[in-house]
Amino acid sequence: MSINPEFIIYAIIFAACILLVNGIYLVAFGKSINFNNKVNRRLEMLEKGGNREQVLEQLRKEMTQHMKSQSIPLYSLLAARAQKANIAFSPSQLMMIMAGMSAMAFVGLTAGTQTSVPIRVAVSVAMGVGGVFLWVNNKAKKRTAMIEEQLPDAVELMVRSLRVGHPFSSAVAIVAKEVPDPLGSEMGVISDEAAYGRDMGETLKHMAERMDMQDLRFLAVAVTIQQTAGGNLAEILHGLSQVIRARFKLFRRVKAITAEAKWSGMFLSVFPLGALVMINLIQPNYYDDVKETAAFIPACLVVAGFLVANVIVMRRLVNIQV
């Protein structure tokens, strides 16, 4: 059994594209751009001598620039994920990085493989665009998950601040200083906008819509109702934090219960394609006896239809809505 080494070269080049994008990102914006940094990015920018207005403007630009560029062809597929991930690269920079990764992949394929030029061009473009897309998608998922995990503690910190007599704007400012990224910088922007006169409820609502998170919508609605109708905001937020924790616990429980079914569905969806690839790698002439028959193409189309139906059905079976 011999495996074509070109497939290994493809995998290495694709992984190198993803790693290089992440390396460029860290070099361009520093270690504070990482989500697990103890000091959030807003505070680090202020500590380096940045003016409060300039830091606010920079962060607001990063938070809104991608959705404003949805009209760019093909970029609309990436804009929503880049917005959730809060990618500091501008849309033009991301597209330049895609082009650069595609060029790097083409050079690597030219040096390491013997495939024809059209195939190398197509594969290199797919690697450059796909690598950036996977990197942004992973960032978006990680950032959303971390905000969901940080939010109950942040709301509890607001509650404690309100109970000792601080106004809500000060409670948000305390969260912005004490909570690490990604929620720390988000709350810092809300605090700065409120200090410059923007309505707190409107700012929270805008953040919830931008992040597309139900728990943030609950927070924005609670603050807006208290501003218009009055009431004990500390008790309202305390109840909200308990609801968020209960929802988060339920989501984790459902995720644990459905983990086996999801992996089974993924395996059943990928296995036929994997078996087809392995058969062609181990014995490329396996289908030569039936390729010329009249039923070969219709049979391939039927099999492809069943594979697509299998993926759709398995995803629906394990996609449990809570």
Side-chain angles (χ1 to χ4, degrees):
M1 182 182 70
S2 61
I3 297 178
N4 193 338
E6 289 191 356
F7 289 98
I8 300 176
I9 295 174
Y10 291 156
I12 292 174
I13 294 175
F14 185 63
C17 289
I18 299 176
L19 293 175
L20 186 57
V21 172
N22 194 57
I24 294 172
Y25 195 58
L26 292 177
V27 170
F29 298 102
K31 191 172 67 172
S32 65
I33 203 75
N34 273 342
F35 298 146
N36 57 355
N37 201 52
K38 293 182 180 180
V39 178
N40 65 57
R41 184 161 178 252
R42 171 178 168 272
L43 292 180
E44 184 167 292
M45 293 170 70
L46 291 172
E47 288 175 359
K48 288 182 178 179
N51 183 275
R52 186 178 180 183
E53 294 181 8
Q54 294 175 344
V55 171
L56 174 61
E57 184 63 27
Q58 174 67 23
L59 293 177
R60 289 183 65 184
K61 178 183 177 182
E62 293 174 2
M63 291 174 179
T64 59
Q65 61 185 345
H66 297 287
M67 295 307 291
K68 291 180 180 179
S69 304
Q70 282 186 309
S71 58
I72 300 176
L74 299 179
Y75 191 78
S76 58
L77 301 174
L78 187 66
R81 291 176 174 84
Q83 187 75 20
K84 289 183 179 181
N86 196 30
I87 300 298
F89 284 136
S90 66
S92 59
Q93 289 172 334
L94 267 181
M95 296 182 72
M96 290 174 59
I97 289 173
M98 288 181 184
M101 293 300 103
S102 299
M104 189 201 75
F106 181 79
V107 172
L109 291 174
T110 302
T113 65
Q114 300 296 324
T115 53
S116 61
V117 174
I119 294 178
R120 291 203 303 269
V121 171
V123 173
S124 61
V125 171
M127 284 184 175
V129 176
V132 173
F133 183 87
L134 287 178
W135 176 75
V136 171
N137 189 53
N138 180 63
K139 286 279 186 183
K141 288 182 177 179
K142 183 178 178 181
R143 189 169 188 268
T144 302
M146 290 192 70
I147 289 179
E148 290 176 345
E149 189 171 349
Q150 290 176 315
L151 189 58
D153 293 332
V155 175
E156 283 289 350
L157 184 55
M158 293 179 194
V159 171
R160 291 194 293 270
S161 300
L162 291 171
R163 284 176 174 171
V164 298
H166 292 155
F168 184 66
S169 57
S170 297
V172 174
I174 291 173
V175 171
K177 292 180 180 179
E178 299 296 332
V179 176
D181 273 342
L183 189 58
S185 291
E186 291 280 355
M187 288 298 177
V189 170
I190 291 174
S191 176
D192 289 342
E193 289 182 342
Y196 288 115
R198 189 174 183 183
D199 180 71
M200 185 69 74
E202 178 186 345
T203 307
L204 287 169
K205 182 180 178 181
H206 177 72
M207 174 186 172
E209 294 301 326
R210 177 165 47 81
M211 294 300 301
D212 191 24
M213 288 179 56
Q214 192 65 34
D215 293 336
L216 286 174
R217 292 191 181 97
F218 291 157
L219 177 61
V221 169
V223 173
T224 302
I225 291 175
Q226 193 276 337
Q227 287 179 336
T228 56
N232 190 335
L233 184 57
E235 293 301 321
I236 295 173
L237 294 183
H238 177 66
L240 177 61
S241 68
Q242 291 181 327
V243 171
I244 294 174
R245 288 186 188 279
R247 279 168 50 84
F248 189 71
K249 183 178 179 181
L250 180 60
F251 289 148
R252 285 289 182 90
R253 185 176 181 182
V254 170
K255 185 177 180 181
I257 293 173
T258 59
E260 182 180 356
K262 287 184 177 180
W263 280 103
S264 298
M266 188 183 303
F267 174 79
L268 291 175
S269 300
V270 174
F271 178 76
L273 298 177
L276 179 63
V277 171
M278 291 302 298
I279 289 172
N280 281 277
L281 288 175
I282 297 171
Q283 193 171 348
N285 302 323
Y286 186 78
Y287 294 105
D288 286 353
D289 295 337
V290 295
K291 277 183 179 179
E292 304 301 327
T293 61
F296 182 74
I297 299 299
C300 289
L301 295 176
V302 171
V303 171
F306 277 117
L307 287 175
V308 173
N310 169 70
V311 172
I312 295 174
V313 171
M314 293 304 298
R315 285 182 64 87
R316 291 180 66 88
L317 286 174
V318 300
N319 187 23
I320 299 176
Q321 300 293 333
V322 179

